[in-house]
Amino acid sequence: MNTQMLKKRREKLAKQLKKDEMLFVFAASEPSYPHYFLQNNNFLYLTGLQIPNAVLVLGKSKDKHLYKIFIERGIPEREVWEGKKMSLAEAKQKSGIEKVLYLDEFERNVDLRLNFTKKCYLNNIQTSLNSPLNKEQSFVRQIRDRFPKILFDDLSEIILPLRTIKEKWEIKQIQKAIDITGKGIKQIYKKAKAGMMEFELEAMLNYEVTKAGLKHLGFKSIIAAGKNAATLHYESNNSKIGKDDLVLLDVGASCNNYSADISRTFPVSGKFTVRQKAVYEEVLNIQKEMIKMIKPGIGFPELNKKTVELITESLKRLNLIKEDKEYKKYYMHSIGHHLGMDTHDIGKRDSVLEVGNVITIEPGIYIPEEGIGVRIEDDILVTKDGYKNLSESIPKEIEELER
Ligand code: GLY
Ligand code: MN
Ligand code: MN
């Protein structure tokens, strides 16, 4: 990530702040052993720093913007165990932010400014009555007690227009995540056999991801054989694959915190049964129809409406329903979502597509009583003239799968 790109992002965000408004972005906390560190995506997006516990502060007074980052100070006795903390100089060089200070200077530094602040934007401030406060919410409470006139708003409101339009560099990361996911899927196609456990297929993907130097997946893999594929968020991946099973894969590697999100469904025997083929063809045709509709200006509501129409027709052809409204029994999610640093990326459910959006198109039909679940999911970049399917090279045609 170069600092020019980071600076541009910060400037775009700062432009949306009004006078006497502030923005605080908290990095993720240190994970407890044995979990791995996963940075807060807004913090990473704005600073490029993969360090825990830091805080980015952005303030606006008159026409001047003030950026500061507060980072942890290394404690020599702990550094023996955990390795060296990032230095002030390194944080400055990596983020392109001039003012980097230690966290123990945080309160003294922001106090003065808070006295004149009208509104603060923060991450993760949506809360519920029965869950413990996260660190952003605790911070809000602390400020509320002392500066009761300050208003608060969710950072996603103002960062959303930035993060939903992907830069070239971001598209490259998503593409890399997709390509490596594709490698894993192709290995699975090649090596999967009846009698294997679902987690054996999961391991084939994990091998490709790790071998490519990627640190983690974008989300927990779904490897679902037979009737398991009709459970939408099946993640236990510990059943044996039957000889006539269709296997549904919903997987995605993550590259520099940009996620792929791909679903494929294939017959483990190498041959679809007549019924499986009939269902698969319906889903595949719908998926292709829906991808063709992608262009700037079309909205998710319109795409969802069209999907439901097509699925309803399919379900009637498959003799599964008679009345239109019954479609919900076999199709219960939506056609897709924004994709990016979060697999279900920031972006509104009713958003209208713009050039630079990356979204998923993922229709499915799930028939638990027949042990069949089919979902096909591709990752699509919205372009000036329409779209580019970033996951086009991962086979999904019946002949390809049977081969
Ligand atoms: N992997 C979850 C989804 O496709 O939305
Ligand atoms: Mn998915
Ligand atoms: Mn998805």
Side-chain angles (χ1 to χ4, degrees):
M1 238 180 278
N2 67 44
T3 52
Q4 252 352 77
M5 184 171 85
L6 294 166
K7 271 186 190 157
K8 255 196 213 144
R9 292 175 181 175
R10 290 191 294 261
E11 275 161 19
K12 274 194 202 158
L13 186 66
K15 263 199 198 134
Q16 301 186 65
L17 288 188
K18 302 193 184 76
K19 184 173 167 298
D20 298 327
E21 292 188 341
M22 286 183 89
L23 185 148
F24 294 89
V25 193
F26 286 66
S29 303
E30 193 109 48
S32 58
Y33 184 80
H35 299 286
Y36 62 82
F37 176 67
L38 199 54
Q39 186 56 291
N40 174 280
N41 283 330
N42 285 335
F43 184 85
L44 186 62
Y45 184 81
L46 295 169
T47 67
L49 300 178
Q50 289 277 15
I51 51 173
N53 304 328
V55 192
L56 169 70
V57 181
L58 171 59
K60 177 160 184 175
S61 55
K62 295 215 184 86
D63 294 328
K64 237 178 93 196
H65 292 125
L66 241 159
Y67 303 91
K68 284 183 188 174
I69 301 188
F70 296 86
I71 66 172
E72 281 182 298
R73 193 191 285 276
I75 302 169
E77 293 80 12
R78 278 185 49 191
E79 288 185 337
V80 173
W81 291 87
E82 297 162 0
K84 278 235 166 297
K85 293 278 176 219
M86 187 175 277
S87 69
L88 295 176
E90 197 185 345
K92 175 174 154 179
Q93 180 247 327
K94 284 198 162 141
S95 65
I97 293 179
E98 293 298 319
K99 294 203 168 126
V100 185
L101 301 108
Y102 287 120
L103 272 171
D104 42 33
E105 300 173 273
F106 178 76
E107 271 96 0
R108 193 181 57 78
N109 248 277
V110 298
D111 266 355
L112 189 64
R113 184 161 284 273
L114 280 171
N115 275 294
F116 302 98
T117 294
K118 297 197 174 104
K119 187 173 183 182
C120 292
Y121 289 92
L122 284 109
N123 268 328
N124 305 326
I125 54 171
Q126 263 194 5
T127 183
S128 71
L129 282 173
N130 53 9
S131 57
L133 298 183
N134 62 31
K135 60 183 173 185
E136 286 87 352
Q137 292 156 358
S138 307
F139 181 62
V140 167
R141 189 153 93 172
Q142 205 183 345
I143 303 183
R144 277 226 162 99
D145 281 350
R146 293 166 176 82
F147 309 92
K149 283 189 187 159
I150 297 181
L151 300 172
F152 295 90
D153 213 337
D154 203 316
L155 173 62
S156 35
E157 286 296 317
I158 55 172
I159 204 168
L160 183 143
L162 279 74
R163 273 187 54 187
T164 50
I165 308 287
K166 268 66 181 180
E167 299 147 357
K168 275 208 184 90
W169 182 85
E170 295 183 287
I171 294 164
K172 259 195 200 157
Q173 309 313 305
I174 296 175
Q175 186 70 65
K176 188 168 171 198
I178 291 171
D179 291 345
I180 289 158
T181 305
K183 263 191 170 173
I185 292 177
K186 285 180 203 163
Q187 283 301 315
I188 293 175
Y189 283 168
K190 221 179 244 81
K191 295 182 180 153
K193 281 197 192 69
M196 282 182 171
M197 301 296 286
E198 291 161 341
F199 55 71
E200 292 180 68
L201 312 196
E202 187 176 13
M204 295 174 199
L205 172 78
N206 293 348
Y207 175 75
E208 292 299 331
V209 171
T210 307
K211 193 171 70 150
L214 303 191
K215 299 296 176 221
H216 52 82
L217 299 167
F219 57 95
K220 176 89 178 73
S221 297
I222 297 173
I223 314 279
K227 66 172 180 5
N228 293 340
T231 303
L232 289 185
H233 280 171
Y234 175 81
E235 307 182 321
S236 35
N237 303 346
N238 58 2
S239 299
K240 191 176 264 189
I241 304 169
K243 72 176 181 17
D244 294 322
D245 280 354
L246 279 183
V247 181
L248 189 157
L249 314 170
D250 186 345
V251 292
S254 168
C255 177
N256 286 317
N257 283 46
Y258 288 84
S259 180
D261 186 8
I262 309 287
S263 299
R264 289 291 184 265
T265 309
F266 69 101
V268 74
S269 67
K271 189 109 190 89
F272 285 92
T273 65
V274 173
R275 179 62 170 173
Q276 287 170 345
K277 191 185 249 176
V279 178
Y280 189 88
E281 262 175 346
E282 293 289 348
V283 178
L284 183 61
N285 290 337
I286 294 169
Q287 203 234 12
K288 288 180 181 169
E289 275 303 296
M290 295 313 302
I291 291 175
K292 275 195 235 150
M293 286 177 70
I294 305 292
K295 59 174 187 210
I298 195 161
F300 269 114
E302 196 177 334
L303 293 171
N304 277 315
K305 189 164 162 269
K306 183 71 187 173
T307 310
V308 166
E309 281 170 24
L310 292 175
I311 290 210
T312 304
E313 286 167 24
S314 289
L315 293 173
K316 284 183 181 168
R317 274 193 293 275
L318 294 166
N319 286 320
L320 288 163
I321 62 167
K322 292 212 167 62
E323 302 289 328
D324 286 4
K325 64 175 190 308
E326 294 174 284
Y327 79 87
K328 283 198 176 123
K329 204 171 150 203
Y330 299 103
Y331 169 70
M332 49 304 262
H333 51 80
S334 56
I335 186 61
H337 50 85
H338 285 268
L339 177 70
M341 298 181 99
D342 293 305
T343 305
H344 290 176
D345 208 29
I346 183 168
K348 297 213 160 103
R349 290 190 153 264
D350 59 353
S351 62
V352 170
L353 300 182
E354 296 176 76
V355 176
N357 289 158
V358 176
I359 62 161
T360 66
I361 291 291
E362 50 178 309
I365 292 180
Y366 312 92
I367 321 169
E369 63 271 25
E370 297 185 34
I372 293 179
V374 175
R375 179 164 63 255
I376 309 172
E377 174 175 27
D378 279 307
D379 301 341
I380 314 288
L381 169 68
V382 182
T383 63
K384 188 163 64 52
D385 310 316
Y387 68 90
K388 180 174 178 217
N389 184 347
L390 303 176
S391 46
E392 197 167 31
S393 67
I394 307 174
K396 64 180 178 186
E397 294 298 329
I398 289 178
E399 309 78 63
E400 294 173 302
L401 297 178
E402 293 198 331
R403 220 185 296 136

